[in-house]
Amino acid sequence: MSRPFEILGLQQIAVGAASKEPLRKLWVDMLGLAPSGHFVSEKENVDEDIVLLGSGPFQVEVDLMQPLDPARSPRVDQPALNHVGLWVDNLALAVEWLTAQGVRFAPGGIRKGASGHDIAFLHPKANEAFPIAGAGVLIELVQAPPEVIAAYRRGV
């Protein structure tokens, strides 16, 4: 099976809790990841701190998330491992090809993510129309910038 795109590597993991404080205590204070940014979205019901692991083009973002309103959906803390993000070299081709193969995407299509990259989410659950999905895992495809694509292809 020939794919018109390549998954390059891990871009991010997102973890959630009712409060970000225990997450910051672990990931920043205990493990030493570097705080990098903050993102809030009423639509996505999320208050998120962005911390970084590693450096350069292979740097991995760890999103520490809590719901803005725990009484409404989506609940970014359920499940606690909210999603995994993967760098892709051509997001538009990946979405088109995967959809044609029967992969289910979450509503919203391709859009800007919290870090400014174009993103699309594979739905965690399959359905009759789209029998292939994340098998319980929400997977974010993230358009890699040119320098990340080049670094992964060089293996540096």
Side-chain angles (χ1 to χ4, degrees):
M1 186 179 312
S2 178
R3 282 174 209 83
F5 64 91
E6 181 181 3
I7 298 296
L8 302 168
L10 184 65
Q11 186 270 337
Q12 70 173 274
I13 61 168
V15 293
S19 166
K20 293 182 299 184
E21 291 313 309
L23 297 174
R24 286 187 62 78
K25 181 75 172 169
L26 173 64
W27 291 93
V28 176
D29 299 343
M30 299 294 107
L31 299 178
L33 275 67
S36 171
H38 185 245
F39 175 75
V40 175
S41 171
E42 289 284 336
K43 179 181 175 189
E44 296 174 10
N45 192 31
V46 67
D47 178 357
E48 167 181 319
D49 289 342
I50 300 167
V51 300
L52 302 174
L53 172 65
S55 62
F58 302 111
Q59 186 172 67
V60 176
E61 179 180 301
V62 180
D63 298 336
L64 310 177
M65 306 186 312
Q66 72 182 32
L68 288 171
D69 179 354
R72 72 177 182 90
S73 293
R75 287 288 306 268
V76 296
D77 58 329
Q78 297 176 355
L81 176 57
N82 184 272
H83 67 271
V84 175
L86 304 173
W87 286 123
V88 62
D89 65 346
N90 190 320
L91 180 61
L93 276 176
V95 169
E96 179 183 344
W97 189 84
L98 290 167
T99 300
Q101 305 308 308
V103 174
R104 183 178 183 197
F105 280 84
I110 296 174
R111 58 195 180 277
K112 286 283 181 223
S115 295
H117 303 292
D118 285 347
I119 62 164
F121 285 96
L122 276 69
H123 201 286
K125 296 179 182 174
N127 63 18
E128 195 172 308
F130 293 96
I132 303 168
V137 177
L138 183 63
I139 300 168
E140 181 177 5
L141 297 182
V142 183
Q143 176 61 57
E147 62 274 13
V148 170
I149 294 169
Y152 272 98
R153 293 203 171 133
R154 282 192 317 265
V156 177

